[in-house]
Each structure stands twice: as C-alpha cells, then as structure tokens.
Amino acid sequence: MPTYSYRCTECGNAFDIKQSFSDATLTECPVCGGVLRKVFSPVGVTFNGGGFYRTDSRATPKAEGSSSSGSSGSSSPAPAPAKTESKPSTPKPSTSAS
C-alpha cells in the first residue's frame, strides 16, 4: 500500500498515512478540522554505477596487445591461418627377406 503525506493548511499539522489506491483522499485535519492538502515530493530513485548507456550494447573490449591504431572502431579482419592439406598415406608393401 502506498504512503501519502498530508499537511493542514490552517494549523500546519503534517502526517503520513498508508492508503489503498481505492481509498478516498483525506480532506479534514484530525487535529483542528481544517482543510488538508496532499504533499508531493520527489520520488526516491537512485541510479548506481556508471550508467546504463555505457554498458548497453557495448562491443567487447579488444585485447591490450592488439596493434590496431585506428580509433574508428572498425578494423580489417585478421588474416586466416594458412590451411595445409594432408595427403592420405598409402601403406608401403612390406619387404620380407626369406
């Protein structure tokens, strides 16, 4: 249930009360019978850390030993290693000396 703050416009009495969304707004001060007004205050939201904009969809960091000097973030891909084809070995006929 949300907590609402009220302040009397005549005596200055201020208090907080838990009310359901469907409850009627209080209009009469319990101390002097004066008119009550709701007190609005900023919402207590705290953003911790460096910020979501820095970490969302961020590219993975490059290795520190990379030799790319471009600052645009796009670099040519590294050359693929050369492929060596291995030939199937054929069994050599055995030589037996009889």
Side-chain angles (χ1 to χ4, degrees), residues 14-84:
F15 61 95
D16 295 337
I17 188 168
K18 288 186 180 182
Q19 289 182 301
S20 174
F21 289 111
S22 61
D23 290 347
T25 302
L26 299 179
T27 57
E28 187 176 323
C29 177
V31 175
C32 71
V35 179
L36 285 178
R37 298 287 308 231
K38 275 190 178 179
V39 177
F40 296 101
S41 58
V43 178
V45 177
T46 304
F47 296 103
N48 294 325
F52 66 91
Y53 55 90
R54 289 186 176 180
T55 57
D56 284 352
S57 302
R58 177 182 252 185
T60 58
K62 294 183 179 182
E64 291 184 22
S66 66
S67 62
S68 66
S69 61
S71 62
S72 65
S74 61
S75 61
S76 60
K83 293 183 179 179
T84 58

